[in-house]
């Protein structure tokens, strides 16, 4: 009996040691993001991933958007940082990919890259080596969001031409309704206003001419579009030059303004603040009937792997999960934010509208083309449009200043 008891005790101890070893073998991944408002969604997705991969746990941590890039860059430069990183795209990607902080991705270590259009992968590609460094996570469109009830009560339909937009705004103002909630005190909002309202007027040909150097930003097409923006600003939020981004959001979400020129990413936030809102979207109005209506699109970052991670295999498994149509479908339908993954199923009607509009687009020009060097095209556009709308510059002067800054490094403008 004593011998049997000893054998059983030894077996139990062995079992305990084995289970302890198994527990120690668990891999914990750290995952950083600036998307604080999406935390519940990511925690749910992490739970689903962990159920399919019981040997891996993921700790999700968020930081304030305005501080995120600095915190991340500092950690990576010190050889630390998270295993999986939500990164920006275009020029902001290059700042952390160029020093070698990110693991290159290809269709061998992430076969799911085949689920993305080439334009999305290009946004997460380092220009100097042509390698992809992140799995794209969202397609954003700059357009006009409108309150359907306000439009219906005022007897209006979404305007298609610029003249129709101006008439609609005048009708709303005559009824003591603020036509646009937008303010211009927050600098970056001036760029979203340009994308949301002027894309159709500028057009794909203008973008092609700018990229090739056939035209620059003193082109009449750009100057005239800025002049139209100056005209419509009379219908922005009262005292709009002093109205910041949160205030303009609150004005629209409260149902006290009819339109908001900005990104498709605003929709979920507006609905969260006021679930009773019945919203619609329309593209930037065309200058004349028959012109192509466009929205301005860009890819809003991606998921990358830290090149110095001790858990690269597990991190790649997680990134591959974030590149599946199943994940993209959940992302789109939960966050009302369009995933670029092919084969997703969109349930939300307004997100379906955004997806349809995104089929006819030009680039969100400064972000996609001119945010790689200093002075950034985005900063130039934001600051000079802000001054123009405040009456401190003419459209011609704003265009000239924008062009002057970009010409310091953009060779096609130096001819």
């Amino acid at each position: 009996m004593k011998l049997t008891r000893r054998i059983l005790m030894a077996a139990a101890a062995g079992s305990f040691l084995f289970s302890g070893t198994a527990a120690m073998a668990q891999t914990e991944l750290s995952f950083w993001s600036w998307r604080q408002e999406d935390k519940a969604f990511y925690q749910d997705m992490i739970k689903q991933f962990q159920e399919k991969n019981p040997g891996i746990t993921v700790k999700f941590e968020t930081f304030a958007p305005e501080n995120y890039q600095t915190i991340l860059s500092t950690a990576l430069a010190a050889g630390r940082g998270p295993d999986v990183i939500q990164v920006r795209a275009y020029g902001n990607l290059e700042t952390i990919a160029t020093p070698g902080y990110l693991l290159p991705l290809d269709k061998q270590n992430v076969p799911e890259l085949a689920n993305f259009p080439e334009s999305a992968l290009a946004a997460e590609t380092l220009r100097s080596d042509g390698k992809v460094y992140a799995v794209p996570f969202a397609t954003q469109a700059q357009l006009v969001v409108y309150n359907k009830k306000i439009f219906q009560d005022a007897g209006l339909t979404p305007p298609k031409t610029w003249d129709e937009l101006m008439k609609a705004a005048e009708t709303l103002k005559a009824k003591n309704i603020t036509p646009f909630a937008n303010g211009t005190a927050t600098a970056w909002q001036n760029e979203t206003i340009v994308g949301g309202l002027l894309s159709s007027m500028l057009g794909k040909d203008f973008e092609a001419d700018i990229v090739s150097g056939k035209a620059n930003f003193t082109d009449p097409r750009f100057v005239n579009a800025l002049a139209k923006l100056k005209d419509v600003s009379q219908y922005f939020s009262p005292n709009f030059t002093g109205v910041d981004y949160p205030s303009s959001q609150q004005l629209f979400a409260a149902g006290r303004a009819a339109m908001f020129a900005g990104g498709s990413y605003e929709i979920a936030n507006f609905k969260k603040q006021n679930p009773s809102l019945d919203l619609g979207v329309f593209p930037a109005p065309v200058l004349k009937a028959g012109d192509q209506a466009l929205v301005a699109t860009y890819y809003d970052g991606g998921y990358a792997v830290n090149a110095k991670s001790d858990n690269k295999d597990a991190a790649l498994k997680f990134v591959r999960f974030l590149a599946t149509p199943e994940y993209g479908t959940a992302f789109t339908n939960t966050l009302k934010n369009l995933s670029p993954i092919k084969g997703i199923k969109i349930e939300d009607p307004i997100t379906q509208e955004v997806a349809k509009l995104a089929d006819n687009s030009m680039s969100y020009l400064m972000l996609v083309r001119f945010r790689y060097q200093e002075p950034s095209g985005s900063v130039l556009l934001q600051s000079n449009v802000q001054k123009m709308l405040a009456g401190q510059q003419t459209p011609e002067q704003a265009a000239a200043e924008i062009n002057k800054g970009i010409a310091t490094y953009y060779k096609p403008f130096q001819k």
Side-chain angles (χ1 to χ4, degrees):
M1 291 290 293
K2 288 182 179 179
L3 181 60
T4 303
R5 188 178 300 162
R6 286 175 185 170
I7 292 170
L8 290 171
M9 289 177 66
S15 175
F16 175 78
L17 288 171
F18 177 78
S19 64
T21 302
M24 288 193 300
Q26 186 83 8
T27 299
E28 181 178 275
L29 296 175
S30 52
F31 174 27
W32 284 11
S33 170
W34 71 88
R35 300 290 300 173
Q36 296 172 320
E37 61 271 43
D38 298 341
K39 191 168 186 176
F41 166 76
Y42 280 111
Q43 287 175 332
D44 184 54
M45 289 296 101
I46 287 167
K47 183 179 178 182
Q48 292 184 34
F49 171 76
Q50 290 174 168
E51 288 172 355
K52 295 178 180 179
N53 298 272
I56 305 171
T57 58
V58 182
K59 182 181 179 183
F60 182 64
E61 191 171 359
T62 61
F63 300 86
E66 61 270 23
N67 301 325
Y68 181 73
Q69 197 80 359
T70 301
I71 293 169
L72 176 62
S73 297
T74 302
L76 292 173
R80 299 192 301 272
D83 299 292
V84 178
I85 312 164
Q86 192 161 23
V87 296
R88 307 284 189 177
Y90 308 105
N92 282 333
L93 172 78
E94 294 206 346
T95 62
I96 57 174
T98 300
Y101 298 147
L102 306 180
L103 184 72
L105 307 181
D106 54 40
K107 291 177 183 177
Q108 280 68 52
N109 59 13
V110 183
E112 290 76 9
L113 290 181
N115 294 335
F116 295 87
E118 287 301 317
S119 57
L121 296 178
E124 302 300 335
T125 297
L126 184 60
R127 294 176 301 167
S128 62
D129 65 11
K131 294 179 181 179
V132 176
Y133 284 89
V135 165
F137 82 86
T139 304
Q140 305 293 5
Q142 301 296 331
L143 35 67
V144 181
V145 185
Y146 73 100
N147 185 311
K148 287 185 175 181
K149 185 178 187 304
I150 292 178
F151 264 57
Q152 186 175 6
D153 290 348
L156 297 172
T157 56
K160 294 181 179 180
T161 68
W162 192 262
D163 286 345
E164 289 174 359
L165 176 70
M166 295 295 284
K167 288 177 184 176
E170 181 58 39
T171 298
L172 290 163
K173 189 172 182 179
K175 294 178 179 292
N176 294 318
I177 299 166
T178 300
F180 284 94
N182 296 89
T184 62
T186 302
W188 67 268
Q189 276 290 282
N190 293 279
E191 185 174 6
T192 66
I193 291 168
V194 168
L197 289 175
L198 304 185
S199 294
S200 299
M201 203 176 304
L202 293 173
K204 293 181 181 181
D205 289 344
F206 174 73
E207 180 178 1
D209 290 347
I210 286 289
V211 171
S212 69
K214 185 178 178 181
N216 63 31
F217 285 103
T218 64
D219 188 283
R221 288 171 290 183
F222 187 67
V223 174
N224 292 339
L226 291 183
K228 294 291 187 184
L229 182 63
K230 175 69 175 172
D231 288 344
V232 81
S233 67
Q234 64 185 294
Y235 300 113
F236 286 1
S237 177
N239 304 310
F240 66 86
T241 57
V243 176
D244 63 10
Y245 177 51
S247 300
S248 62
Q249 284 182 309
Q250 290 166 12
L251 180 65
F252 185 81
R256 289 164 39 215
M259 293 174 280
F260 190 97
S264 52
Y265 46 80
E266 301 285 3
I267 297 166
N269 182 49
F270 290 147
K271 293 287 284 184
K272 185 177 181 180
Q273 290 187 54
N274 184 354
S276 67
L277 287 175
D278 186 10
L279 302 179
V281 292
F282 61 86
V286 298
L287 186 59
K288 61 182 186 298
D291 290 350
Q292 185 179 27
L294 301 172
V295 297
T297 58
Y298 66 97
Y299 297 98
D300 195 12
Y303 307 113
V305 174
N306 188 336
K308 292 191 175 180
S309 170
D310 293 327
N311 305 305
K312 289 187 184 68
D313 289 344
L316 284 167
K317 276 189 179 181
F318 185 52
V319 165
R320 290 184 64 185
F321 168 76
L322 300 175
T324 60
E326 293 76 16
Y327 171 79
T329 295
F331 177 90
T332 299
N333 292 323
T334 303
L335 300 180
K336 308 295 186 287
N337 214 330
L338 191 60
S339 168
I341 298 174
K342 299 173 186 176
I344 62 170
K345 298 176 181 177
I346 306 173
E347 299 169 358
D348 179 58
I350 194 167
T351 309
Q352 290 173 349
E353 283 187 66
V354 172
K356 187 175 180 181
L357 292 179
D359 286 337
N360 295 296
S361 66
M362 67 177 289
S363 297
Y364 188 38
L365 195 55
M366 294 304 191
L367 169 59
V368 175
R369 304 290 186 179
F370 299 104
R371 209 185 277 188
Y372 291 93
Q373 291 168 273
E374 299 296 335
S376 157
S378 288
V379 171
L380 289 165
L381 180 70
Q382 293 165 16
S383 61
N384 286 287
V385 166
Q386 191 175 46
K387 290 175 185 175
M388 181 193 75
L389 295 181
Q392 298 168 5
Q393 286 182 343
T394 65
E396 290 81 5
Q397 289 170 331
E401 286 299 309
I402 292 167
N403 199 71
K404 179 182 175 183
I406 292 175
T408 60
Y409 56 82
Y410 192 56
K411 290 181 180 179
F413 286 8
Q414 296 171 359
K415 296 176 182 177

